[in-house]
């Protein structure tokens, strides 16, 4: 019995010597992004998420009280409406952020280049759209770097700095990892069911859903696969401008928060 145990110990020590232990840490205990909607044109409440986002320098809205809006799109694939969306943004001189996946970048390089050429921000939505809370940091790093490289290959934008997590799932660990990898998480404070391409309901559906939720400082999440959004966008921007809203880029949101008013506002 002793001889058997001694042999087993020698075997284990040999394995540890030639195959060093390497810990793979996974970002478990994930949260699904969500908020309490209201029709009072106020920033929605996010409960315990607020403290978590502040801890890691993440954003979901501009809480300054300014009548400013931030339009963002998630692009996983193309349905034929992005050119129309870009035409409206260009006509109205409105900046936007497009969070792209690997499939979108490799299948629509001309649209990606157009986004960059027209001054829009390209955000990282990961290459393969995995749940970051169930993968390792190395996998998350590879997903972000692969998407960044894909964008660099087809456009003049060589680095990305804003991240929207796939499926809106996150954890404190993935927020921390993102910071370590040079990224800022951008969530949203206004959204509705617009991504179901077989259930489009006309431009009024998109228009009314946005107008009843709109509030100062809103980070608006839209999908360019929606024909409703493409048809409503011009009307929305026109009406919101008439109500005194201005449209800014995510850079504006982050810089105004990081820099003192005396410097940023001069």
């Amino acid at each position: 019995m002793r001889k058997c145990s001694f042999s087993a110990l020698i075997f284990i020590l040999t394995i540890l010597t030639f195959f060093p232990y390497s810990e793979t840490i996974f970002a478990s205990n994930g949260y699904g992004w969500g908020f309490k909607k209201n029709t009072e044109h106020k920033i929605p409440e996010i409960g315990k998420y607020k403290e978590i986002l502040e801890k890691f320098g993440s954003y979901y809205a501009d809480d300054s009280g300014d009548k400013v809006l931030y339009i963002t799109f998630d692009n996983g694939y193309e349905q034929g409406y992005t050119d129309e969306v870009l035409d409206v943004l260009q006509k109205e001189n409105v900046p936007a952020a497009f969070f792209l996946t690997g499939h979108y970048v490799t299948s629509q390089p001309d649209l990606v280049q157009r986004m960059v050429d027209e001054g829009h921000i390209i955000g990282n939505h990961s290459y393969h759209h995995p749940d970051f809370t169930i993968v390792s940091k190395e996998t998350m790093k590879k997903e972000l770097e692969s998407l960044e490289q894909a964008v660099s290959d087809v456009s003049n934008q060589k680095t990305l700095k804003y991240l929207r997590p796939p499926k809106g799932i996150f954890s404190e660990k993935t927020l921390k990892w993102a910071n370590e990898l040079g990224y800022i998480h951008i969530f949203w404070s206004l959204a509705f069911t617009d991504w179901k391409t077989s259930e489009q309901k006309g431009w009024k559906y998109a228009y009314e859903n946005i107008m009843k939720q709109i509030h100062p400082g809103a980070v608006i999440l839209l999908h360019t696969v929606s024909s409703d959004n493409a048809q409503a966008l011009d009307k929305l921007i026109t009406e919101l401008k008439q109500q005194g809203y201005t449209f800014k880029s995510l850079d504006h949101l982050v810089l105004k928060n990081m820099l003192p008013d005396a410097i940023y506002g001069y």
Side-chain angles (χ1 to χ4, degrees), residues 124-128 132 137-150 160 162-166 174 177-179 181-183 185:
N124 203 320
H125 201 36
S126 81
Y127 198 92
H128 295 102
F132 282 155
K137 183 181 180 181
E138 282 305 308
T139 297
M140 180 178 175
K141 181 174 185 284
K142 185 176 181 181
E143 282 286 327
L144 298 179
E145 289 180 344
S146 296
L147 194 282
E148 188 172 88
Q149 183 61 54
L160 308 181
Y162 300 117
L163 166 63
R164 176 160 288 157
T174 60
W177 288 350
N179 289 168
L181 295 170
Y183 278 91
H185 267 74

Side-chain angles (χ1 to χ4, degrees), residues 6-266:
F6 181 75
S7 298
L9 177 61
I10 293 298
F11 175 75
I12 292 171
L13 290 174
T14 302
I15 291 294
L16 291 176
T17 300
F18 291 99
F19 300 96
Y21 174 66
S22 178
E23 182 180 16
T24 300
I25 301 175
F26 294 85
S28 56
N29 302 317
Y31 304 109
W33 179 251
F35 49 82
K36 186 177 181 180
K37 290 184 179 182
N38 68 76
T39 56
E40 300 170 349
H41 307 295
K42 297 179 179 179
I43 296 177
E45 296 292 331
I46 58 172
K48 65 180 181 180
Y49 291 169
K50 186 173 179 60
E51 182 179 349
I52 296 173
L53 265 59
E54 289 177 349
K55 179 179 178 181
F56 295 101
S58 304
Y59 297 85
Y60 83 105
D62 179 343
D63 62 5
S64 67
D66 297 338
K67 292 193 75 172
V68 60
L69 302 172
Y70 307 87
I71 296 182
T72 70
F73 295 90
D74 283 2
N75 292 58
Y77 63 97
E78 178 56 26
Q79 195 73 4
Y81 303 114
T82 304
D83 266 323
E84 185 177 345
V85 166
L86 288 168
D87 288 345
V88 172
L89 296 174
Q90 185 178 46
K91 179 175 74 74
E92 294 294 334
N93 194 28
V94 169
F98 293 86
F99 288 87
L100 309 181
T101 64
H103 172 77
Y104 191 92
V105 175
T106 57
S107 64
Q108 303 296 330
D110 292 343
L111 284 174
V112 177
Q113 182 64 66
R114 182 181 174 188
M115 293 170 189
V116 174
D117 287 346
E118 294 179 3
H120 301 296
I121 288 172
I122 304 298
N124 203 320
H125 201 36
S126 81
Y127 198 92
H128 295 102
H129 206 257
D131 175 353
F132 282 155
T133 67
I134 59 173
V135 302
S136 67
K137 183 181 180 181
E138 282 305 308
T139 297
M140 180 178 175
K141 181 174 185 284
K142 185 176 181 181
E143 282 286 327
L144 298 179
E145 289 180 344
S146 296
L147 194 282
E148 188 172 88
Q149 183 61 54
V151 172
S152 177
D153 288 344
V154 302
S155 77
N156 297 324
Q157 184 161 333
K158 303 307 176 185
T159 59
L160 308 181
K161 55 189 172 184
Y162 300 117
L163 166 63
R164 176 160 288 157
K167 308 174 180 126
I169 300 174
F170 68 102
S171 70
E172 291 197 41
K173 192 162 285 182
T174 60
L175 296 179
K176 178 176 180 289
W177 288 350
N179 289 168
E180 292 170 352
L181 295 170
Y183 278 91
I184 297 170
H185 267 74
I186 302 292
F187 293 93
W188 59 92
S189 63
L190 193 161
F192 63 100
T193 305
D194 64 342
W195 63 88
K196 295 181 179 179
T197 57
S198 62
E199 298 180 19
Q200 297 296 289
K201 303 174 183 179
W203 70 267
K204 286 186 178 179
Y205 173 77
Y207 181 91
E208 291 171 357
N209 267 280
I210 293 171
M211 293 306 294
K212 71 183 179 183
Q213 295 184 65
I214 204 70
H215 61 82
V219 175
I220 303 169
L221 166 60
L222 300 173
H223 292 80
T224 58
V225 294
S226 166
S227 59
D228 293 352
N229 290 343
Q231 294 164 14
L233 190 60
D234 199 353
K235 302 176 183 67
L236 279 164
I237 291 173
T238 299
E239 174 60 27
L240 290 167
K241 283 182 175 180
Q242 290 176 354
Q243 291 188 16
Y245 284 99
T246 58
F247 294 85
K248 299 290 185 179
S249 75
L250 293 179
D251 287 343
H252 173 85
L253 170 60
V254 173
L255 286 173
K256 72 184 291 188
N257 186 67
M258 290 184 171
L259 298 176
D261 289 342
I263 297 176
Y264 186 71
Y266 53 88

